[in-house]
Amino acid sequence: MRVVPSELRGVLLFLPEPRHDRRGLFTRTFDTAVAARHGIDASTFRQDSQSRSRRGVLRGLHGRSGRGESKLVRCARGAVHDVLVDARPDSATFGRHVAFRLDDQDFAHLFVPAGFLHGFQALTDEADVCYRIDAEHDPAEDLAVRYDDPQLAIDWPLPISVLSERDGAAGSWTDLRVALG
């Protein structure tokens, strides 16, 4: 398994090496020893979640206040355009975003450190995204920024087909910056 650091400090892309044969394939999608060599303690993960989305659905941009949460994200079925925004006020890359294609061909895992906003758009008819999260969900800590905020200028690859009410009513990047101090 290769590990590729992102231009945003702490964001890592874990790239498994699928083995193909006449039966199909086998791959290791996560390895605690590899994670530990890159500063991730897998024993801290508290919850696994999964979402299923249809082509064009956009989920995000979501984050957590307080201590925040770190998570491992992968697309188990289909493909998504996955976006992270650095919302750590003390970071040199505060306000910058980075995008990754996660799919069921490469099986990449994306490590998202605490302090990031996260969102994705389904690129295929159906896309299943799996999350391994290191903090229990507390709705009082939910943060959300509009996916189309002009200051972030995120280029989503498809027209938005469905957006939740919460995401449609999300605040601006400017408002979040003020709230973060």
Side-chain angles (χ1 to χ4, degrees):
M1 182 175 294
R2 290 185 311 121
V3 180
V4 180
S6 162
E7 61 196 61
L8 302 181
R9 180 179 45 87
V11 175
L12 300 172
L13 192 63
F14 289 80
L15 299 169
E17 298 169 348
R19 305 282 188 238
H20 297 266
D21 64 23
R22 63 187 175 85
R23 299 170 294 169
L25 69 85
F26 174 84
T27 191
R28 178 177 300 146
T29 58
F30 184 71
D31 186 310
T32 58
V34 173
R37 286 195 296 271
H38 293 276
I40 299 169
D41 178 1
S43 70
T44 64
F45 292 112
R46 304 268 183 256
Q47 164 185 322
D48 281 3
S49 299
Q50 180 170 336
S51 67
R52 176 167 292 157
S53 302
R54 292 182 179 83
R55 181 193 256 337
V57 167
L58 192 137
R59 294 179 185 258
L61 299 161
H62 303 149
R64 298 274 181 259
S65 63
R67 183 182 79 77
E69 67 182 11
S70 296
K71 57 187 163 186
L72 283 167
V73 181
R74 73 181 177 99
C75 184
R77 175 180 178 191
V80 298
H81 179 78
D82 201 280
V83 175
L84 303 178
V85 178
D86 191 342
R88 303 170 296 181
D90 61 337
S91 172
T93 55
F94 179 69
R96 287 184 43 201
H97 67 273
V98 64
F100 302 88
R101 179 184 170 95
L102 301 180
D103 61 38
D104 62 4
Q105 300 299 305
D106 294 330
F107 302 99
H109 253 81
L110 182 60
F111 177 72
V112 182
F116 279 81
L117 298 175
H118 174 249
F120 66 86
Q121 184 178 40
L123 301 175
T124 51
D125 288 343
E126 286 191 331
D128 286 6
V129 174
C130 301
Y131 314 80
R132 179 162 279 179
I133 303 167
D134 74 349
E136 292 181 23
H137 182 240
D138 180 353
E141 293 182 340
D142 286 351
L143 299 174
V145 170
R146 279 196 54 94
Y147 71 96
D148 60 353
D149 188 284
Q151 288 191 341
L152 296 176
I154 297 169
D155 185 23
W156 299 100
L158 299 174
I160 309 306
S161 63
V162 178
L163 189 68
S164 73
E165 285 184 34
R166 172 188 175 213
D167 291 345
S172 71
W173 174 246
T174 298
D175 291 343
L176 180 61
R177 280 191 355 242
V178 169
L180 293 174

